[in-house]
């Protein structure tokens, strides 16, 4: 986990209108570090210099496990979230971004979009996923985007205003 | 400029099949720092651990000014590049991503896509731009994406395979 993971992903989440961004790490020693970043931008010196960063960072919620994040969402919204998993690997039953965007527009349950760093998400979580999104592919065979870039692209594909992304001038 | 700017943007550039990624900084003292990152991943210890990062970082080219980057492209390709500028600000005569993607498919000149950090691009460069892309907009009024996220989204909108981004399953 890096300082910029928290920043970049919070700013992307805020841009695309997400309600929260859970930073999940089972390593409890990392939590005070992340909390210090959050505090710096939300109430500390950073808030005065770059108030819009505080606005993004305010979406950050720290937890020890994905189960904890799911429980928090369920407690707040009264419904368990759908789990939508991203992966750089291809596989059967992958959903297109357009199909998932359509579901997001019509769905009444909350949705938890999951991104893994390093070794990716655990098998236990993958088995509980409601939707697997297809991998992000460019025109090359190279598929080693950073998690920060993968999140930005995924949110843009799922939540961008159609007019700006797809309509020719 | 941060270590992750170089990494993230190089990996996004490689994913979307770009031919090079110019890191432009007029501060000559920054160049050896960036060069050390490049060397670490392209020939140093990093190459053995993560060879795919070296493959991305190999696209990095350092220069002191955008004029130098333009001159290098012209010397190699025999044609001056079109300058395509990105901006978080709206304005007149902005091009949609779809229209620019179409031009990129048909254009024989090279194209230099310009992204600014911090205070953005200079007026002198903006005046020479061939195309201004419209700002990236999410469903919120917040438009403070990181440059790393903005590059990822822009390349995805311009170079992604249509099938993966736009076709429902």
């Amino acid at each position: 986990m890096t300082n910029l993971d928290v920043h970049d992903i919070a700013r992307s989440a805020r841009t695309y209108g997400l309600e929260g961004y859970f930073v999940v790490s089972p390593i409890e020693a990392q939590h005070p570090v992340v909390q210090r970043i959050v505090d710096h931008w939300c109430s500390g010196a950073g808030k005065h210099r770059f108030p819009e960063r505080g606005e993004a960072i305010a979406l950050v919620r720290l937890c020890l496990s994905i189960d904890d994040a799911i429980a928090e969402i369920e407690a707040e919204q009264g419904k368990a979230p759908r789990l939508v998993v991203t992966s750089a690997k291809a596989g059967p039953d992958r959903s297109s971004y357009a199909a998932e965007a359509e579901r997001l527009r019509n769905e009444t349950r909350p949705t938890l979009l999951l991104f893994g760093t390093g070794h990716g998400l655990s098998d236990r979580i993958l088995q509980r996923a409601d939707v697997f999104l297809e991998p992000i592919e460019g025109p090359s065979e190279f598929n080693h985007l950073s998690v920060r870039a993968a999140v930005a692209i995924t949110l843009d594909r799922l939540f961008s205003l159609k007019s700006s992304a797809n309509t020719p001038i």
Side-chain angles (χ1 to χ4, degrees), chain A:
Chain A
M1 196 188 307
T2 72
N3 180 4
L4 284 177
D5 284 338
V6 178
H7 267 281
D8 276 26
I9 294 174
R11 291 160 72 182
S12 295
R14 180 70 187 80
T15 299
Y16 288 98
L18 270 54
E19 289 185 38
Y21 159 33
F22 290 89
V23 175
V24 178
S25 168
I27 305 165
E28 226 170 325
Q30 284 189 339
H31 288 214
V33 181
V34 177
Q35 194 58 52
R36 246 173 51 201
I37 298 173
V38 171
D39 292 345
H40 175 78
W41 294 103
C42 288
S43 52
K47 190 184 172 184
H48 295 284
R49 284 186 57 208
F50 298 105
E52 74 282 1
R53 296 215 184 166
E55 206 182 319
I57 292 276
L59 295 176
V60 173
R61 298 164 65 163
L62 269 165
C63 36
L64 287 166
S65 69
I66 294 176
D67 291 319
D68 285 357
I70 293 170
E72 282 191 37
I73 295 169
E74 189 167 2
E76 280 169 28
Q77 313 253 340
K79 288 174 184 171
R82 294 161 66 231
L83 301 187
V84 176
V85 165
T86 56
S87 168
K89 296 190 192 105
D93 301 322
R94 296 297 194 253
S95 166
S96 74
Y97 291 82
E100 176 57 21
E102 181 68 25
R103 282 189 292 271
L104 282 163
R105 280 190 289 274
N106 299 318
E107 180 61 58
T108 57
R109 284 174 297 170
T111 295
L112 181 59
L113 259 174
L114 294 163
F115 295 87
T117 53
H119 296 287
L121 298 161
S122 74
D123 284 343
R124 198 178 61 79
I125 289 296
L126 296 180
Q127 278 158 17
R128 293 169 59 190
D130 294 283
V131 175
F132 280 83
L133 288 173
E134 43 178 31
I136 295 169
E137 285 180 12
S140 80
E141 80 305 333
F142 186 91
N143 70 342
H144 303 282
L145 289 169
S146 71
V147 69
R148 295 164 293 280
V151 170
I153 292 166
T154 301
L155 297 186
D156 187 59
R157 289 185 178 188
L158 294 178
F159 299 106
S160 77
L161 303 173
K162 275 271 176 209
S163 62
S164 122
N166 298 322
T167 315
I169 40 174

